[in-house]
mmCIF file of all heavy atoms in Angstrom:
data_model
loop_
_atom_site.group_PDB
_atom_site.id
_atom_site.type_symbol
_atom_site.label_atom_id
_atom_site.label_comp_id
_atom_site.label_asym_id
_atom_site.label_seq_id
_atom_site.Cartn_x
_atom_site.Cartn_y
_atom_site.Cartn_z
ATOM 1 N N LEU A 673 15.875 141.866 63.788
ATOM 2 C CA LEU A 673 16.919 142.886 63.775
ATOM 3 C C LEU A 673 17.685 142.872 62.448
ATOM 4 O O LEU A 673 18.003 143.926 61.881
ATOM 5 C CB LEU A 673 17.892 142.662 64.938
ATOM 6 C CG LEU A 673 17.321 142.882 66.340
ATOM 7 C CD1 LEU A 673 18.290 142.350 67.385
ATOM 8 C CD2 LEU A 673 17.050 144.351 66.587
ATOM 9 N N LEU A 674 17.976 141.683 61.952
ATOM 10 C CA LEU A 674 18.687 141.551 60.684
ATOM 11 C C LEU A 674 17.846 142.096 59.530
ATOM 12 O O LEU A 674 18.358 142.783 58.632
ATOM 13 C CB LEU A 674 19.040 140.082 60.438
ATOM 14 C CG LEU A 674 19.865 139.770 59.185
ATOM 15 C CD1 LEU A 674 21.235 140.441 59.255
ATOM 16 C CD2 LEU A 674 20.030 138.253 59.016
ATOM 17 N N TYR A 675 16.561 141.821 59.567
ATOM 18 C CA TYR A 675 15.651 142.315 58.531
ATOM 19 C C TYR A 675 15.605 143.844 58.544
ATOM 20 O O TYR A 675 15.698 144.498 57.490
ATOM 21 C CB TYR A 675 14.248 141.739 58.752
ATOM 22 C CG TYR A 675 13.221 142.232 57.760
ATOM 23 C CD1 TYR A 675 13.189 141.739 56.456
ATOM 24 C CD2 TYR A 675 12.275 143.190 58.129
ATOM 25 C CE1 TYR A 675 12.240 142.186 55.543
ATOM 26 C CE2 TYR A 675 11.327 143.649 57.223
ATOM 27 C CZ TYR A 675 11.317 143.142 55.935
ATOM 28 O OH TYR A 675 10.382 143.593 55.033
ATOM 29 N N VAL A 676 15.483 144.419 59.726
ATOM 30 C CA VAL A 676 15.470 145.879 59.853
ATOM 31 C C VAL A 676 16.765 146.463 59.304
ATOM 32 O O VAL A 676 16.764 147.444 58.548
ATOM 33 C CB VAL A 676 15.259 146.300 61.322
ATOM 34 C CG1 VAL A 676 15.551 147.788 61.507
ATOM 35 C CG2 VAL A 676 13.841 145.984 61.764
ATOM 36 N N ALA A 677 17.902 145.862 59.671
ATOM 37 C CA ALA A 677 19.201 146.368 59.228
ATOM 38 C C ALA A 677 19.303 146.364 57.703
ATOM 39 O O ALA A 677 19.715 147.356 57.085
ATOM 40 C CB ALA A 677 20.324 145.537 59.843
ATOM 41 N N CYS A 678 18.926 145.270 57.072
ATOM 42 C CA CYS A 678 19.065 145.159 55.610
ATOM 43 C C CYS A 678 18.119 146.094 54.866
ATOM 44 O O CYS A 678 18.465 146.622 53.797
ATOM 45 C CB CYS A 678 18.833 143.720 55.165
ATOM 46 S SG CYS A 678 20.115 142.571 55.708
ATOM 47 N N THR A 679 16.931 146.315 55.414
ATOM 48 C CA THR A 679 15.948 147.149 54.716
ATOM 49 C C THR A 679 16.200 148.643 54.889
ATOM 50 O O THR A 679 15.421 149.463 54.401
ATOM 51 C CB THR A 679 14.517 146.821 55.187
ATOM 52 O OG1 THR A 679 14.448 146.919 56.620
ATOM 53 C CG2 THR A 679 14.118 145.421 54.744
ATOM 54 N N ARG A 680 17.284 149.027 55.555
ATOM 55 C CA ARG A 680 17.656 150.455 55.620
ATOM 56 C C ARG A 680 18.376 150.884 54.342
ATOM 57 O O ARG A 680 18.530 152.074 54.081
ATOM 58 C CB ARG A 680 18.596 150.728 56.800
ATOM 59 C CG ARG A 680 18.084 150.406 58.198
ATOM 60 C CD ARG A 680 16.743 150.995 58.491
ATOM 61 N NE ARG A 680 15.678 150.032 58.211
ATOM 62 C CZ ARG A 680 14.398 150.367 58.037
ATOM 63 N NH1 ARG A 680 14.039 151.627 58.069
ATOM 64 N NH2 ARG A 680 13.488 149.442 57.808
ATOM 65 N N ALA A 681 18.847 149.915 53.540
ATOM 66 C CA ALA A 681 19.673 150.214 52.359
ATOM 67 C C ALA A 681 18.809 150.621 51.177
ATOM 68 O O ALA A 681 17.843 149.932 50.832
ATOM 69 C CB ALA A 681 20.512 148.994 51.996
ATOM 70 N N MET A 682 19.184 151.704 50.528
ATOM 71 C CA MET A 682 18.482 152.157 49.338
ATOM 72 C C MET A 682 19.095 151.576 48.062
ATOM 73 O O MET A 682 18.379 151.083 47.198
ATOM 74 C CB MET A 682 18.507 153.686 49.262
ATOM 75 C CG MET A 682 17.780 154.387 50.385
ATOM 76 S SD MET A 682 18.020 156.185 50.365
ATOM 77 C CE MET A 682 17.274 156.639 48.802
ATOM 78 N N HIS A 683 20.439 151.643 47.941
ATOM 79 C CA HIS A 683 21.089 151.305 46.674
ATOM 80 C C HIS A 683 22.087 150.149 46.768
ATOM 81 O O HIS A 683 22.204 149.375 45.828
ATOM 82 C CB HIS A 683 21.809 152.537 46.121
ATOM 83 C CG HIS A 683 20.939 153.753 46.037
ATOM 84 N ND1 HIS A 683 19.787 153.788 45.295
ATOM 85 C CD2 HIS A 683 21.052 154.983 46.626
ATOM 86 C CE1 HIS A 683 19.221 154.989 45.410
ATOM 87 N NE2 HIS A 683 19.966 155.728 46.217
#
Side-chain angles (χ1 to χ4, degrees):
L673 293 168
L674 184 63
Y675 178 76
V676 167
C678 292
T679 54
R680 300 309 94 198
M682 296 173 63
H683 308 301

